[in-house]
Amino acid sequence: MTTICDKAYSEKDMMYVQDALYVLSGKWKLLIILALSNGDKRFMEIQKSIPRITTKMLSKELKELEANKLIRRVVHDENAVWVEYSFTEYSKALAPLIEEMIKWTKSHRREIFEKVA
Amino acid sequence: MTTICDKAYSEKDMMYVQDALYVLSGKWKLLIILALSNGDKRFMEIQKSIPRITTKMLSKELKELEANKLIRRVVHDENAVWVEYSFTEYSKALAPLIEEMIKWTKSHRREIFEKVA
DNA sequence: CCGGATCCTATCGGATACTG
DNA sequence: CAGTATCCGATAGGATCCGG
């Protein structure tokens, strides 16, 4: 029942949003988490499931996500280089946020993306 | 009931998220919308309510937000330069998303921001 | 297969000064 | 007051190649 109209957000709220943006900023991080949503994936599998991401960006983003405990990195075989990524309890909590993004875009994308994209 | 675990997101879902990120990316856009949450504001008022934003960035972001119909710009007096910004029906729909960001950060910020920030 | 190293460009974003 | 203009460094992001 809190629309933006009814509710004035506090300065604290703004800081919360800023914090979230800090962790989730950039084009790729949320998409990587999405890519892991249907199970663990290896480096190449993640890359294939995210259209235009380069190895460099994927590598960089995976590190940051791991540092922030949003994904987990497990090396299965040192010699064969068998690495698997999975999300954490912590990143699961992002599901409602992701749901809201999808909802919002679904109901509004026509209004914007016909002209912009 | 859909946690990330239970549900595998589709490629379409990924595109939706990408679209949302496209419109909301950067450090400032969501904060600007938040700043307008308790009523219309003038340029300087917005700037004062967002800690470290510069006039340049505010100006730039306002333009983009307006182009995407996420805010409305009304000039009240040509001579006195009296401009007011307000959000739109369209941006009101972002409220649930913002709520989720705040919720998420509230429950998890300690886990991250003690070390990172 | 998993990335790191390198080189490059484009955009982000800050500081400051300036205009109507 | 509401922005613009300019200069600048930092970061994002892409392309390609290389090594374990």
Side-chain angles (χ1 to χ4, degrees):
Chain A
M1 264 28 74
T2 34
T3 70
I4 287 189
C5 255
D6 307 334
K7 181 177 178 179
Y9 290 98
S10 66
E11 289 181 25
K12 270 214 151 192
D13 287 335
M14 284 193 41
M15 287 178 50
Y16 289 137
V17 171
Q18 237 165 353
D19 286 351
L21 289 174
Y22 179 80
V23 178
L24 306 172
S25 64
K27 296 164 67 175
W28 306 115
K29 295 203 187 69
L30 277 177
L31 296 180
I32 291 171
I33 291 171
L34 268 182
L36 295 175
S37 66
N38 46 351
D40 302 356
K41 275 198 173 64
R42 303 174 65 172
F43 189 93
M44 282 304 290
E45 294 174 324
I46 301 175
Q47 186 171 19
K48 267 184 289 186
S49 67
I50 301 178
R52 283 165 301 282
I53 196 169
T54 60
T55 62
K56 173 185 162 187
M57 291 310 297
L58 181 53
S59 165
K60 177 171 154 290
E61 301 287 70
L62 285 171
K63 263 188 212 161
E64 290 181 32
L65 288 170
E66 197 194 0
N68 286 337
K69 299 186 179 176
L70 283 162
I71 62 168
R72 192 174 298 112
R73 180 180 187 272
V74 179
V75 181
H76 287 276
D77 187 331
E78 286 291 351
N79 298 334
V81 189
W82 210 103
V83 182
E84 203 156 47
Y85 293 90
S86 54
F87 45 67
T88 60
E89 284 304 317
Y90 181 33
S91 62
K92 276 188 208 170
L94 282 171
L97 194 150
I98 292 172
E99 292 292 327
E100 287 300 337
M101 291 187 99
I102 293 173
K103 269 192 222 166
W104 181 76
T105 314
K106 269 186 185 166
S107 36
H108 295 286
R109 65 175 311 182
R110 258 184 301 175
E111 191 155 347
I112 287 179
F113 292 102
E114 277 167 8
K115 309 124 200 175
V116 179
Chain B
M1 258 51 66
T2 35
T3 70
I4 287 190
C5 254
D6 306 335
K7 180 177 179 180
Y9 291 98
S10 65
E11 289 181 24
K12 270 214 151 191
D13 288 334
M14 284 193 42
M15 287 179 51
Y16 290 137
V17 171
Q18 238 165 351
D19 286 351
L21 290 173
Y22 179 80
V23 177
L24 307 173
S25 63
K27 294 164 67 176
W28 306 116
K29 296 203 187 69
L30 276 177
L31 296 180
I32 291 172
I33 290 172
L34 269 182
L36 294 176
S37 65
N38 44 352
D40 303 357
K41 276 199 173 64
R42 303 174 64 171
F43 190 91
M44 282 303 290
E45 293 173 326
I46 301 175
Q47 187 172 18
K48 266 184 289 186
S49 67
I50 301 178
R52 283 165 301 281
I53 196 169
T54 60
T55 62
K56 172 186 161 186
M57 290 311 296
L58 182 52
S59 165
K60 177 170 154 292
E61 301 287 70
L62 285 171
K63 264 186 210 162
E64 290 181 32
L65 287 170
E66 198 194 359
N68 285 338
K69 300 187 178 176
L70 283 163
I71 62 167
R72 193 174 298 112
R73 180 180 187 272
V74 178
V75 180
H76 286 276
D77 186 332
E78 286 290 352
N79 299 335
V81 189
W82 210 104
V83 182
E84 204 156 47
Y85 293 91
S86 55
F87 47 66
T88 61
E89 284 304 317
Y90 182 32
S91 62
K92 276 188 210 168
L94 283 171
L97 194 149
I98 292 171
E99 292 292 328
E100 286 300 337
M101 290 187 100
I102 293 172
K103 268 192 224 166
W104 182 75
T105 314
K106 269 186 185 166
S107 35
H108 294 287
R109 66 176 311 183
R110 256 184 303 176
E111 191 154 348
I112 287 180
F113 292 102
E114 278 168 9
K115 309 122 198 174
V116 178

